[in-house]
Amino acid sequence: MTFVRWSFLLIALGLTLPSMAEELMSFGSALNQTRYQSLVEELRCPKCQNQNLADSGSGIAVDLREQVHHMIEQGKTDQEIVEYMVARYGEFVLYRPRHSSATFVLWYGPFILLGLGVIIFASVIIANRKKRGLSS
């Protein structure tokens, strides 16, 4: 019976340690804490792929949260922190990729396809009306 209790206690403690570790981070100011929250919600976990650093429980996400905290406390700007993450992990870590020639299709592709769809739809409608008008 004691073994079961200790096992349950250790499992419960293991599940709560990551959340407790984040709560133990101390910030020099409320602004630094706000910046931290903003950055970890904006940066994507390299391992989880569809989770931000704030939501991910993976080891690399924990390490990156600590790195962001450390860099903020060192006085680095948000831009410097983002550039560091992009230099290490690529553009993938950004939930909102930068506008560049490499991401042109990503940003504007849906609008181009929508425009082409509207043009094709309109031309088919016009062609059908002309066809009906000529055959009647």
Side-chain angles (χ1 to χ4, degrees):
M1 183 82 164
T2 306
F3 176 74
V4 173
R5 286 184 184 171
W6 279 106
S7 298
F8 179 73
L9 180 65
L10 288 174
I11 290 171
L13 184 62
L15 293 175
T16 59
L17 277 179
S19 62
M20 289 173 59
E22 194 166 324
E23 292 173 7
L24 295 177
M25 288 185 182
S26 61
F27 295 91
S29 68
L31 176 63
N32 284 355
Q33 187 171 8
T34 304
R35 287 179 53 213
Y36 170 82
Q37 288 299 324
S38 174
L39 283 168
V40 296
E41 288 174 4
E42 189 60 34
L43 294 169
R44 187 188 318 247
C45 174
K47 181 179 180 185
C48 304
Q49 298 188 7
N50 282 330
Q51 285 184 315
N52 58 25
L53 292 180
D55 294 337
S56 176
S58 71
I60 192 166
V62 172
D63 291 343
L64 290 177
R65 285 194 298 262
E66 289 174 8
Q67 182 69 29
V68 169
H69 174 261
H70 183 68
M71 292 174 84
I72 286 174
E73 291 301 314
Q74 284 181 335
K76 305 267 186 194
T77 65
D78 291 357
Q79 185 62 34
E80 289 173 325
I81 294 169
V82 168
E83 286 174 4
Y84 170 81
M85 295 294 179
V86 168
R88 257 191 107 167
Y89 301 102
E91 292 274 331
F92 177 77
V93 296
L94 301 176
Y95 264 118
R96 286 182 275 164
R98 297 177 179 146
H99 291 270
S100 69
S101 60
T103 59
F104 179 83
V105 173
L106 176 67
W107 283 104
Y108 302 107
F111 300 111
I112 292 169
L113 289 175
L114 179 64
L116 288 173
V118 167
I119 291 170
I120 292 170
F121 180 76
S123 64
V124 167
I125 296 294
I126 291 171
N128 280 340
R129 285 188 177 193
K130 286 182 179 179
K131 187 177 180 182
R132 284 188 204 162
L134 293 177
S135 61
S136 296

